[in-house]
Structures are given as structure tokens and as C-alpha cells.
Amino acid sequence: MTEILVSYFIFPGFLFAAAAGMIASWIDRKVTARVQWRQGPPLMQPFYEIRKLFIKETILPADGSPWLFVLAPFFYLASIVLVADILFLALMNPSLGFVGDLIVVFYLLALPAVASIMGAAASGSPFASIGASREIKLLLGYEVPLFAALLVPVIKSGSISLGDIIIYQQSYGALAGSFSGIIALIVGIMVVQAKMGLVPFDAAEAETEIAGGCQVEYSGPLLALWKLGKMIMLVVGPLFLVIMFWATGGWLILTLKYVALLTVAILIRNTNPRLRIDQAMRFFWGPMFIAALVAVIAAWMGY
Amino acid sequence: MSYAINALTKSLNVFHAACSPCNNCDIEILDAITPRHDVERFGIQLVGSIRHADVLLVTGAVNKKVVHRIKKLYEQAPKPVLVIAVGGCACSEIMFRDSYNTCGPLDKIIPVDLYIPGCPPKPEAMIAGVVKLIQAATKKAGG
Ligand code: SF4
């Protein structure tokens, strides 16, 4: 029992994932700044930001549901930390996982979006409800191609456990090296971009348009939980792709691969305008779904 | 208290409220986040919602249309919040002083922590002002 608690709250769960998330968030802001020819913030800036929010006042909405409003960020953070924990454990010891943890991760990755929708609905603000409706549509959009793309490693390795997929890749080479694997990885990058809520799929928060979307009414410590969750999402998203499609090499190589995928996401974010929500859905249900289907068929035929 | 002030001033999220300015001050504010001045180096960022902000930055001569809104914005901000009046209009209303529709300089409406005069002030002046504000707040908190 203590082992599970330590694993969830300290290493490699909450504390470790939060530290990694802050570094990822710093990389995000620094690369963005360099793309825009600026200096960018210091390494500790994400930490300062979280620390500051804990001294601020929390305002509960007058015409919302305060209970749900307070619970939603905890729900968000808890689910995302659980995914981080499962992924890190699978990487550290591939033979330890349980059967079907891939399915668990797939569903846990949908929970943060559900939590934002709950929080937005509880805050009773029109901006938040627009954000929530967009978040629902985005969720409907990207789950379909993600599911199809994840079938590729499952077909190739013949297993639905993360550990087996990692072991398969370490003995037969990375999945991204095969035809079906690289297509599925590209689909995965797009889906993870949307899961992390980065441009071009950030219609749900859209600061300049609906003032922060789902989290518009949050302030103080509760906002800190959302921000922390988003930072951990920056770790979990690309790491999940590394595990599914590119899991070869020691921990140093794996870290470099993770940073490479994170940088790709940041560059996509900095070179694209925001898509309207209908364009985003069409993009996921059209080209992305077809590409994922092609990858599945190719994997079925052994390419 | 000095811990709180230190935590606050290391990461200032700014909400920009344009209260009927001529837009020139607003353009100068945007200059402060461009590569030459890049205030994100000090953790200063613009945010889209007053609930996420630590600084309420006001430009322009507050008139009858916006006076209720600026009061409401100040009430909606999570405390502690700092208020900055940028430009001669917000500080003292300059040539709009005796106009039929202005409601007095900003500090008659909400408490102001920092005045940055100029028409419009330079980005350098704004950065210098923020530095003075941080020093004053730290001194007041006894740190
Ligand atoms: S101070 Fe000058 S530049 Fe600024 S809003 Fe007023 S008139 Fe415009």
C-alpha cells in the first residue's frame, strides 16, 4: 500500500511529474520565445507562476455549482497524474504492467477533457460554456483517429499492454520505422496536439476570443491546479507517443526523443493559426481518420 | 507578507483594460512585449481574463460609459491585485479634464498603485515604473 502511495504521490507520480511538467512548460515558453526572436523566461518561471497562484484569492461563482467548481480541477489533476504514473512505471520496468493498461491509459487520457467540461459547466459563465461545448466537439473529433492509430502497435505487437509493446519494440526495432507506424505516429502527433490544447486546436481556451474558455472563472489555488495539470499534460502527451511508437534505447535516448516530439508540438503551435472548431473536427474525422485507417490496414498486411 | 509580495511580483499576469483611450497607449503597451523589450523575461504576461490577473492595467480617460465597468473589473479581480494607470489620460485626464463625459482621473474611481505619465509613455518608462512598483511594494511589506 505505501509503495503505491509513494509511487502515486512522489516518484514517479505527482511530485516527479510536476517537476518534469514545469521543465516541459519552460521548454515550451523558451522555444516559443526564440521562434519570436525574444529571450524568454528563466527556468524557474513556471514554478513562480504556480507559487504565486497559491497566495491569491479564490473566487467562487455566485450562480454556479460551487462543489463541482472546486472538485473539477482535483479530478483533472488526479487523472493526469495517474496516467503519468502508469507511463513512467511502464518505461522503468516493462514487465511489471498489467494486461490492458493501454486501454486504461486511453480512457484516462479522455478524463482531463471531461473534467474541464465539468468545471466549465459549474462556473456558470457564458465564455466557459462556449469553451465547454468546443471541448466536447474536440473530444469527439480526436478520439476516433487516436483509437485507430493505437490499433497499429496493438496489431504489430499482438498485445494490449504497454510493457509488451515496449519489449516488442526493443527487440524488433521502433514501430516508427515501419510504414504503418510512421503514419500512425503522425496521426498521434496531431491528436496529442489537440489533447494538450495547443494551437491550432486551442479553440476551447482561445484567450483572445473567449478569454480562457473553460477556466475563465477560475482564480487562485484552483487555477494553479489547472495550470499544473496542463504542464503535466505536456509531459504525458509526447511521452505516450514515445512509448507507443518510438520506445527504443536507454533513458537518455528516450528523454531526447521525448524532447524532440515536444519541440515538434511547440513548432506546430508557433507556425499555425487557430482552427475554427468545425475545421478541427473535419480535419480529425476526414484526413486524420483516413490516414489512421490506411495505417491499420497496412499493419494488418504486415507493412 | 514579504513572502507573498515576492511570490506575486516574480510572476505578474497583466490584464489590460482600455477605458476609452486614443489607442496610442495600448500600442505602446504591446511594444513592451515585443523582442526589443520582452518583459516575459521578468515573468510579465498578458492574460485574457481578469480572474487570472495580478495587475489591472488601465489606459485612457474613464468616461461615463466605462466607469461602472472598470469598478466591476476591480471587484472581480482576485486580491491581491495591483492597479497601474498608464498614460496622462488615466493619471490626470490631461486635456479631457473638463470634458462633459469624463468621470475624473482613475484614482477617484479605484485605488491606483502606480502612475506612468506620458502621452503615450515609452515602453522603457513602463518597465522603469514596474521596477519602482516592485521595490515600493517590497519595502512596504518590510522585506
Ligand atoms: S495619454 Fe495620450 S496616448 Fe495615452 S490614451 Fe491618452 S491621449 Fe492617448
Side-chain angles (χ1 to χ4, degrees), chain A residues 35-72:
Chain A
V35 169
Q36 297 168 353
W37 219 247
R38 292 186 288 120
Q39 274 304 318
L43 178 58
M44 293 295 280
Q45 195 55 47
F47 170 71
Y48 292 148
E49 204 137 290
I50 300 288
R51 184 180 69 163
K52 170 204 72 186
L53 285 173
F54 278 99
I55 64 149
K56 299 274 293 186
E57 169 193 28
T58 288
I59 300 169
L60 294 180
D63 43 24
S65 147
W67 276 108
L68 201 55
F69 186 80
V70 172
L71 278 181

Side-chain angles (χ1 to χ4, degrees), chain B residues 50-134:
Chain B
I50 184 69
R51 296 273 200 233
H52 305 173
D54 316 303
V55 173
L56 176 59
L57 191 156
V58 184
T59 56
V62 181
N63 65 21
K64 283 181 183 157
K65 284 273 186 199
V66 292
V67 63
H68 306 294
R69 293 178 174 105
I70 190 67
K71 272 186 198 155
K72 212 167 196 178
L73 267 180
Y74 182 71
E75 284 158 10
Q76 285 179 339
K79 309 292 175 303
V81 68
L82 302 168
V83 179
I84 302 184
V86 169
C89 283
C91 294
S92 67
E93 296 199 315
I94 39 175
M95 68 274 204
F96 305 111
R97 159 152 282 183
D98 298 320
S99 174
Y100 65 96
N101 63 349
T102 50
C103 298
L106 187 65
D107 54 5
K108 286 214 179 125
I109 301 161
I110 54 176
V112 175
D113 295 286
L114 172 67
Y115 303 85
I116 303 177
C119 184
K122 284 189 165 192
E124 288 91 337
M126 294 182 201
I127 296 173
V130 172
V131 171
K132 280 182 190 155
L133 176 66
I134 292 175

Side-chain angles (χ1 to χ4, degrees), chain A residues 233-268:
Chain A
M233 194 62 166
L234 285 180
V235 176
V236 165
L239 191 70
F240 184 51
L241 292 180
V242 169
I243 290 182
M244 295 306 288
F245 300 105
W246 211 7
T248 50
W251 64 269
L252 190 62
I253 308 271
L254 285 174
T255 314
L256 286 180
K257 284 175 172 176
Y258 159 74
V259 174
L261 282 187
L262 179 65
T263 312
V264 168
I266 297 167
L267 290 180
I268 294 177

